[in-house]
Amino acid sequence: MSLRVALLAAECEPWAKTGGLADVVDALARALGRLPEAGRGLAAPVDVLLPRYRSVAVPGGAVAEPPLLVPDPVGRGSVSARIVNVAAEGYRLRLVDVPEAFDRDGFYDHPDDAWRFAVFCRVALAALKRDGTPLDVLHVHDWHTGPALLDRARGEAARDPFFADMAVLLTIHNLAYHGWVPNDAIGELGLRRDDPLAGANPAGIDLLLTAIERSELANTVSPGFAAEAITPAFGMGLDPALRAKGDRFFGILNGIDPDLWDPATDPVLAARYSRTAPSGKADCRADLLTRVGFDPADHGIVVGMIGRMDPQKGFDLLADGAPELLASGARIVVQGSGHASLADPFRALAAANPARVALIERFDRAMARRVYAGADAFLMPSRFEPCGQGQMIALRFGTPPIVRRTGGLADSVLDVAEHPGEGTGFVFNEATPAALVAAVRRAARLRADAAEWSALRDRAMAVDFRWDAGPAPRYLEAYRRAAGIRLGTTR
Ligand code: GLC
């Protein structure tokens, strides 16, 4: 039997992205479509349902389905929606077009987010049901898709064989964002406080918690973070619910797409390079330094850091350690978008040291690749990190990562001192500027030995994080298991 699976997510690259969620949804969907026919067991291509935000440009060739009417969660009649189908590479992208909810600036942080994502989920479920083919697994991602679990459990859906047989796999990319809906807003989810679906918390409803409790299976994006997430220190209040799932909560390490991230073919780089022909990397370094206003012949170690400007990522640790790093001869290139206040210290550092600190304060895919390629080492001092993608891309680009020992970072980077002859980067323990500085200095010392450094780079570039090799088959296994749990044939 082949399974029919649909992914429901608030982001998908290249249509709508603020972070790693978008890359993962797109890359996983494509990899699922590529699994070899014989072992696939999947009715391909899979569907990915995504809100049509204002910034999503509908490509030519997209096909709009007849309008769909769904009951408005707040009980004010119905909401009219369009589903616009786009043939993406290896999957079918289905844009959920509800202008009242999504034709606005920005994806999140609107006062009626509970309603917006409740409508998204409701329309998505109605569209899948209208297709007429039974859906075996709905693969939901993060809190935005929590309302789908509420809808599956109530009203007509609860009695409808279509939904009765539909299993849900929840993937948690970020445990810090819960989708908290206080009581005065739970009406936006179509709930009243006294509804048993509203859960046990008298103050409101936590959509991520709802999804954890009501999904057949849940995973996060690395085994390391799965182990951390069930502890009070990392569980962000959800650890009891995750522990309660027992072995129905686990980790699957994300992959990256080696064709999307490939210094051997990347047209934006000043030069192409690869494991067997690595010399172009020096040109990329000189190009990066020139672009950010540094001296291209400067020999100090150039440390790159890219990410959402979010407290999670530890930009502050770098900012606080920067004076000491600069004194030791290091150069710093930071690229980030998001919380502008986290960029303030870098703005000041760059103004005071224009030839040694650069801040690229925008979301810019081309520039990010130049940083991955041109930096000598890549920094990820995250406080917590469900998986992280930057460290994997950096490895692919032969730019050894310097990471904190947490979550997926610890699962994907081997420290050179702990694994002589096998290490791929530098791992440090404490979330402190001092520990970060010590790790960068360790990297700078190793870099002084050209042979050691090029061996390290070679090992970094040899690491294989292809979706097809590991993660995609594991998701397929999880789909089978989730479907079995729903049907009562598997535990
Ligand atoms: C979130 C997590 C990050 C993970 C990404 C994709 O952004 O913070 O660690 O890599 O999701 O799963």
Side-chain angles (χ1 to χ4, degrees):
M1 179 194 92
S2 64
L3 295 176
R4 182 160 182 257
V5 174
L7 277 59
L8 202 59
E11 298 188 19
C12 181
E13 177 73 353
W15 320 94
K17 163 162 171 169
T18 69
L21 167 66
D23 300 279
V24 168
V25 168
D26 166 66
L28 171 62
R30 277 188 291 126
L32 290 170
R34 279 194 307 264
L35 287 183
E37 196 68 38
R40 178 158 62 203
L42 255 196
V46 298
D47 284 349
V48 175
L49 291 111
L50 174 78
R52 192 208 157 179
Y53 305 104
R54 177 172 288 172
S55 56
V56 176
V58 177
V63 181
E65 295 180 15
L68 257 173
L69 281 182
V70 300
D72 189 327
V74 291
R76 283 182 310 227
S78 31
V79 178
S80 165
R82 280 191 326 154
I83 301 291
V84 181
N85 294 319
V86 179
E89 191 198 315
Y91 59 91
R92 178 166 67 152
L93 177 76
R94 308 182 75 184
L95 297 168
V96 172
D97 190 11
V98 185
E100 279 167 271
F102 296 108
D103 188 9
R104 309 181 187 184
D105 289 331
F107 302 167
Y108 313 124
D109 300 326
H110 293 284
D112 55 349
D113 275 357
W115 177 79
R116 296 170 67 232
F117 287 99
V119 168
F120 165 61
C121 291
R122 189 162 279 193
V123 172
L125 290 177
L128 290 163
K129 179 167 159 62
R130 184 168 70 179
D131 293 342
T133 332
L135 186 71
D136 299 290
V137 181
L138 183 69
H139 184 180
V140 304
H141 297 260
D142 282 353
W143 71 265
H144 325 99
T145 51
L149 279 296
L150 295 172
D151 271 356
R152 182 179 66 161
R154 64 179 152 181
E156 278 170 40
R159 294 178 293 275
D160 183 331
F162 182 87
F163 295 108
D165 290 348
M166 180 187 83
V168 175
L169 169 68
L170 163 70
T171 296
I172 301 171
H173 299 262
N174 202 324
L175 206 48
Y177 296 100
H178 288 202
W180 171 249
V181 186
N183 279 337
D184 60 13
I186 67 171
E188 294 179 26
L189 301 168
L191 286 176
R192 287 172 30 166
R193 184 60 259 167
D194 55 7
D195 189 316
L197 275 179
N201 189 333
I205 192 173
D206 179 313
L207 286 172
L208 187 55
L209 174 64
T210 300
I212 291 169
E213 290 176 339
R214 296 188 167 274
S215 55
E216 275 64 36
L217 276 183
N219 78 295
T220 186
V221 286
S222 69
F225 188 68
E228 289 170 349
I230 58 171
T231 68
F234 288 92
M236 316 250 179
L238 296 177
D239 48 296
L242 293 172
R243 279 196 300 277
K245 284 197 97 71
D247 75 348
R248 292 186 179 183
F249 172 65
F250 50 90
I252 298 179
L253 188 70
N254 284 338
I256 57 166
D257 183 332
D259 299 324
L260 268 184
W261 304 103
D262 187 0
T265 57
D266 198 323
V268 312
L269 300 184
R272 255 59 50 201
Y273 63 95
S274 65
R275 213 182 144 197
T276 47
S279 67
K281 193 171 195 305
D283 301 324
C284 294
R285 182 182 191 275
D287 174 62
L288 173 68
L289 268 51
T290 307
R291 282 174 188 270
V292 298
F294 297 0
D295 171 4
D298 190 326
H299 196 67
I301 185 168
V302 177
V303 178
M305 178 164 170
I306 303 178
R308 266 180 302 119
M309 289 265 178
D310 186 296
Q312 168 194 348
K313 299 288 178 184
F315 280 98
D316 55 315
L317 300 175
L318 174 58
D320 292 348
E324 211 185 320
L325 285 178
L326 294 177
S328 76
R331 309 288 174 251
I332 298 170
V333 180
V334 167
Q335 179 174 346
S337 55
H339 293 243
S341 63
L342 292 175
D344 289 345
F346 293 104
R347 231 172 278 126
L349 281 162
N353 307 277
R356 298 185 298 163
V357 179
L359 171 65
I360 303 152
E361 208 180 338
R362 58 178 192 272
F363 179 82
D364 177 338
R365 290 178 178 84
M367 197 60 199
R369 301 177 127 125
R370 296 186 186 112
V371 176
Y372 283 119
D376 294 309
F378 187 81
L379 185 65
M380 279 184 86
S382 309
R383 293 205 154 70
F384 66 92
E385 196 63 78
C387 179
Q389 163 167 256
Q391 82 281 17
M392 294 182 179
I393 299 171
L395 287 165
R396 173 95 178 125
F397 277 73
T399 305
I402 303 173
V403 304
R404 252 207 84 218
R405 193 184 309 278
T406 189
L409 298 176
D411 285 346
S412 52
V413 180
L414 292 181
D415 185 86
V416 282
E418 291 163 23
H419 302 266
E422 284 175 22
T424 53
F426 304 85
V427 184
F428 63 97
N429 293 327
E430 302 303 321
T432 59
L436 180 155
V437 169
V440 174
R441 296 185 97 150
R442 200 148 65 83
R445 276 198 302 277
L446 193 79
R447 182 168 165 265
D449 182 331
E452 284 282 343
W453 191 256
S454 71
L456 167 60
R457 269 191 187 160
D458 181 67
R459 290 193 300 268
M461 294 186 88
V463 182
D464 182 2
F465 288 117
R466 267 175 318 127
W467 278 93
D468 312 50
R474 270 183 212 118
Y475 274 102
L476 177 56
E477 222 174 280
Y479 295 152
R480 282 209 196 93
R481 183 163 166 226
I485 292 172
R486 184 73 180 174
L487 299 175
T489 57
T490 315
R491 78 148 309 288

